[in-house]
Amino acid sequence: MKKLKRTLALIGAVLLLLLYVSTVLFAFLDHSASMGLLKASVACTVILPVLLYAYALVYRAIRKDDDDSDADT
């Protein structure tokens, strides 16, 4: 399980890095679609860490409940 967490954390970090790079790239491009892509990239840069944090909280809460129920039986 620990290896899976590390792998998922690495994937999340790479995704965030790619989002940061794409945000800077779209900010400097002068193309008709670059403004829409910039907005989407900034939104994903904010939303992705929030969703990952929420997932971690829910997982921890569910996992704690499973551990408590195992101790009762």
Side-chain angles (χ1 to χ4, degrees):
M1 189 62 168
K2 201 173 201 179
K3 195 170 195 170
L4 178 65
K5 282 184 183 180
R6 286 185 183 188
T7 305
L8 290 175
L10 180 63
I11 290 170
V14 169
L15 280 175
L16 279 175
L17 181 66
L18 290 174
L19 281 171
Y20 295 147
V21 169
S22 67
T23 300
V24 170
L25 182 70
F26 294 142
F28 288 122
L29 285 178
D30 189 26
H31 192 267
S32 62
S34 65
M35 185 54 115
L37 293 172
L38 176 65
K39 289 179 184 178
S41 182
V42 169
C44 288
T45 301
V46 172
I47 291 171
L48 182 66
V50 170
L51 288 177
L52 290 174
Y53 182 71
Y55 173 75
L57 286 177
V58 169
Y59 177 78
R60 192 177 314 149
I62 290 172
R63 190 72 176 151
K64 186 181 288 186
D65 290 344
D66 288 345
D67 291 342
D68 291 341
S69 64
D70 290 342
D72 293 339
T73 58

